[in-house]
Amino acid sequence: MVKLNDEEGAAMAPGHQPTNGYLLVPGGEPPGKVSAELQNGPKAGCLTLNGVSRDSLAAAAEALCRPQTPLAPEEETQTRLLPTSPGEETPGTEGSPAPQTALSARRFVVLLIFSLYSLVNAFQWIQYSVISNVFEGFYGVSSLHIDWLSMVYMLAYVPLIFPATWLLDTRGLRLTALLGSGLNCLGAWVKCASVQQHLFWVTMLGQCLCSVAQVFILGLPSRIASVWFGPKEVSTACATAVLGNQLGAAIGFLLPPVLVPNTQNNTDLLACNISTMFYGTSSVATFLCFLTVIAFKEKPQYPPSQAQAALQKSPPAEYSYKKSIRNLFRNVPFVLLLITYGIITGAFYSVSTLLNQMILTYYKGEEVNAGKIGLTLVVAGMVGSILCGFWLDYTKIYKQTTLIVYILSFLGMVIFTFTLDLGYSIVVFVTGGVLGFFMTGYLPLGFEFAVEITYPESEGTSSGLLNAAAQIFGILFTLAQGKLTTDYSPKAGNIFLCVWMFLGIILTALIKSDLRRHNINIGIANGDIKAVSNEYFYD
C-alpha cells in the first residue's frame, strides 16, 4: 500500500486532499515505486508520480495548480479512479494485463444452500411469536417471556457482530457459513428436549444458540453476492440471499398455527404437536448443515468482476480490521445509512414480533388469520426484494431507489396503523401486504447501497454493522411498542413507529451517493489494479 509522508501531503495542491474514498495504484508496480517529488519553477508544490512521462507530469501539474470547482461525490470518485477522456488509459497501467474474470456455475449452488439454511434460522426466530398465546399457556409464562424468545435474536447480535465480522474477514466465507449452519442445527435439536411444561429454560437455550447462528448468517448476503456474482447480477443475487431469510419468516407465520393449534385443554396433544414442529425443524437443519459441509466453497477460481479482482490482489497483510471499522465510522454517508437502515428494519422486526398481539386485540380467536397476515406481509416483501434487486442491477440508481422505497414504507405503515381497527380482516391483509412489499423490499437495497459507498471495505463488515443497528433498534422498538400496545392500544404503538420512520426519510435524503464499486466495474476495463485505503491519508 502507498502511504504519503508529511512532506508529500504538504505538497498537494489545495482542493486535492485525499477524500473519504480509495485511490487505485498500478498492481504491477511495487508500492515503493510510487512517490512524489516537488518540482522547481512556476509549478512548485504540485504532485508527480514515477513512471509517468514528463509531458504528462507537466500537464497534470498545470491542472492541479489551477483553481478547482468542487465536484459532487460521484464525480469526485469518477475523477479519482477513472481516465479523464475516452481514449486515455489509467496512469501506470499501460501494457499491464487485465485481471482474468469469469463466472462460476457453482455460484448458484452456494447461493441456494445459504438461502435454505438462512430460511430455517428465520423460521426458528418467528415460530414462537406467531402463536405466543399457545406457548404462554403451555409453559405458564408471561407474554414478555415469549417476546424475549424473539428479541434474543436481536440481543445476541449486538455484542457478537464484531467478532463474527472479524472472523469473516480473516478466516473467510466458508468457515463463517459452517458456523452459522452448525449452530442453527444444534439449537434446533436442543429445542427438541424442551417439550415439557417446566422446561422453558431449555427452549430458551436452544433459541439462544439459533440467535448466535444468526450472527454468522445475516452479514453474508452482500459478501456472497460480491465474491461469487458478476456486476450485472450482484444486486439480484444479494436480494435472493435475503429472500431466503424472508421466506423463512413467511413459513414461520404460516406453519406454526397449523402444526400447533390452540388445544390448551389437552396438554398431551399440545406437547405432541410442539414436538412434531421441533423435530421437523431439526431434521431439515441437519440436512442443510451436511450440504454446507460438502458443497459450500470459499470463492470461485477466478474473480467475477474487476472490483473483486482489485480486492483479491491486495496482500492480506495490508488488511486491518480495526482500521476498516474506523474507516466505516468516518464515512458520513455510511453512518447516516446505518441509522436509517436500523430504523426501518427495527420497525419491521417489532411489527413481526408483536403482530399476533395486535391482530388478536381486534380479531379475537384469529390466530390462524394472524399467521396468514404475517405470511402476506413477508411474501409481499419477498416480491419487493427481488424487484428491487432487478431494478438496481438494471439502473444502478441506489440513493433515489432507497429514498422512494423508504417513503412508500412510511406511507404503508401509516395506512396499516389507521385501518387495523376497522373490523375487516381483508383490509388488514391488503395493508399488511403493501407494508411488507416496501419495508422488506428495502433490506437488499440497504446492503447493496452500503457496499457501493464503502468499497473496498469488507462487505461482511458493512452488512454486519447494518444488521447490528437493526437489532438495537428492533429491541428498543419492540419493548416500546409492546408497552404502548399493552397500556394503550396497537394504534399508539404503530404511531410511535411512524414517527421514527419519518425521521428515517429525512436522514436518507441527506445521504450523499458515491458509487465506488460501480465506478470501478464500468470505468476500468484494462490494467492491473488494486485498492488503496484512504486510512493512510489520515495517519
Side-chain angles (χ1 to χ4, degrees):
M1 279 187 154
V2 181
K3 181 173 181 178
L4 300 182
N5 58 32
D6 293 336
E7 180 179 316
E8 293 165 348
M12 276 195 172
H16 288 78
Q17 292 85 357
T19 57
N20 295 338
Y22 292 81
L23 297 175
L24 293 180
V25 300
E29 294 290 337
K33 280 196 173 185
V34 182
S35 62
E37 298 177 359
L38 292 176
Q39 303 298 307
N40 297 323
K43 298 182 178 64
C46 294
L47 183 68
T48 64
L49 297 175
N50 287 343
V52 182
S53 68
R54 188 176 300 276
D55 291 341
S56 298
L57 290 177
E62 183 177 353
L64 285 174
C65 293
R66 288 197 300 264
Q68 301 293 319
T69 303
L71 299 175
E74 290 187 35
E75 293 172 331
E76 185 178 24
T77 300
Q78 192 84 4
T79 300
R80 290 201 311 271
L81 303 182
L82 306 178
T84 56
S85 63
E88 183 181 349
E89 294 185 5
T90 304
T93 63
E94 186 176 356
S96 300
Q100 182 176 357
T101 62
L103 295 178
S104 169
R106 183 184 285 270
R107 68 192 188 279
F108 298 111
V109 176
V110 171
L111 184 62
L112 178 62
I113 292 173
F114 170 79
S115 297
L116 289 176
Y117 77 73
S118 177
L119 178 155
V120 175
N121 185 260
F123 173 83
Q124 296 192 81
W125 163 58
I126 206 66
Q127 67 182 161
Y128 295 98
S129 296
V130 72
I131 49 173
S132 57
N133 57 320
V134 175
F135 279 105
E136 286 173 35
F138 180 76
Y139 286 115
V141 296
S142 68
S143 61
L144 183 61
H145 284 80
I146 303 302
D147 288 345
W148 270 110
L149 286 170
S150 174
M151 288 191 292
V152 70
Y153 264 59
M154 310 174 202
L155 184 65
Y157 198 92
V158 178
L160 295 178
I161 181 55
F162 291 105
T165 53
W166 174 85
L167 190 73
L168 174 62
D169 292 342
T170 58
R171 296 295 181 267
L173 190 59
R174 175 175 163 79
L175 177 60
T176 306
L178 290 174
L179 284 172
S181 184
L183 287 170
N184 193 50
C185 175
L186 179 60
W189 281 107
V190 169
K191 291 181 187 180
C192 294
S194 71
V195 192
Q196 295 184 42
Q197 291 183 287
H198 65 286
L199 293 180
F200 176 79
W201 68 272
V202 177
T203 208
M204 176 61 83
L205 175 62
Q207 192 73 339
C208 287
L209 289 171
C210 294
S211 69
V212 175
Q214 178 211 215
V215 181
F216 299 101
I217 293 174
L218 288 187
L220 293 190
S222 57
R223 181 64 168 265
I224 291 173
S226 295
V227 170
W228 284 90
F229 289 83
K232 295 183 179 180
E233 56 188 13
V234 63
S235 296
T236 303
C238 181
T240 304
V242 173
L243 186 71
N245 199 268
Q246 296 170 0
L247 182 59
I251 297 174
F253 279 113
L254 177 65
L255 283 187
V258 176
L259 296 175
V260 189
N262 192 357
T263 58
Q264 295 188 30
N265 56 336
N266 188 339
T267 305
D268 291 338
L269 177 60
L270 183 57
C272 180
N273 291 334
I274 293 174
S275 181
T276 299
M277 181 172 68
F278 284 167
Y279 273 101
T281 304
S282 58
S283 299
V284 174
T286 301
F287 174 68
L288 292 173
C289 183
F290 174 73
L291 286 183
T292 305
V293 171
I294 63 174
F296 202 102
K297 300 300 181 183
E298 178 68 30
K299 61 182 179 180
Q301 181 179 2
Y302 300 106
S305 66
Q306 294 292 343
Q308 274 299 304
L311 291 179
Q312 291 180 16
K313 288 187 70 65
S314 298
E318 295 180 351
Y319 175 77
S320 168
Y321 181 71
K322 290 182 179 179
K323 288 181 178 180
S324 179
I325 294 292
R326 187 166 60 184
N327 283 345
L328 289 174
F329 279 106
R330 288 181 176 183
N331 186 326
V332 175
F334 175 73
V335 172
L336 290 174
L337 181 62
L338 193 67
I339 297 171
T340 58
Y341 184 92
I343 290 173
I344 193 170
T345 311
F348 170 73
Y349 289 163
S350 182
V351 170
S352 300
T353 301
L354 301 173
L355 184 64
N356 179 264
Q357 297 177 34
M358 288 190 283
I359 299 300
L360 294 184
T361 298
Y362 300 115
Y363 305 89
K364 303 294 183 182
E366 297 282 341
E367 290 91 353
V368 174
N369 256 351
K372 290 180 179 178
I373 291 169
L375 173 67
T376 302
L377 187 148
V378 178
V379 169
M382 292 161 52
V383 176
S385 293
I386 290 297
L387 292 179
C388 287
F390 279 128
W391 176 256
L392 286 186
D393 278 334
Y394 180 72
T395 66
K396 300 300 179 182
I397 301 175
Y398 287 84
K399 178 182 174 178
Q400 295 90 329
T401 304
T402 301
L403 181 59
I404 291 171
V405 171
Y406 215 115
I407 293 172
L408 293 174
S409 298
F410 167 74
L411 294 176
M413 189 69 204
V414 171
I415 295 171
F416 178 79
T417 298
F418 291 97
T419 58
L420 185 60
D421 60 350
L422 293 181
Y424 301 100
S425 59
I426 185 63
V427 174
V428 184
F429 273 97
V430 174
T431 57
V434 172
L435 177 64
F437 182 88
F438 294 112
M439 186 177 281
T440 314
Y442 176 86
L443 302 182
L445 293 179
F447 282 155
E448 285 297 286
F449 195 18
V451 173
E452 288 291 339
I453 63 179
T454 62
Y455 177 86
E457 302 295 351
S458 167
E459 302 91 346
T461 305
S462 61
S463 297
L465 290 175
L466 289 180
N467 282 317
Q471 311 304 325
I472 293 172
F473 278 101
I475 293 173
L476 297 176
F477 286 172
T478 302
L479 292 173
Q481 187 184 11
K483 181 68 173 174
L484 290 170
T485 298
T486 302
D487 293 351
Y488 299 98
S489 68
K491 181 178 290 185
N494 287 330
I495 291 174
F496 168 80
L497 294 183
C498 290
V499 172
W500 277 95
M501 290 177 67
F502 183 76
L503 174 62
I505 292 174
I506 297 173
L507 296 178
T508 300
L510 298 176
I511 298 175
K512 294 183 178 180
S513 180
D514 186 5
L515 306 183
R516 299 171 180 174
R517 181 182 66 177
H518 177 59
N519 286 338
I520 293 293
N521 285 327
I522 67 170
I524 301 181
N526 298 304
D528 192 14
I529 58 173
K530 65 177 180 178
V532 180
S533 170
N534 64 357
E535 172 66 28
Y536 285 83
F537 298 117
Y538 289 121
D539 292 341

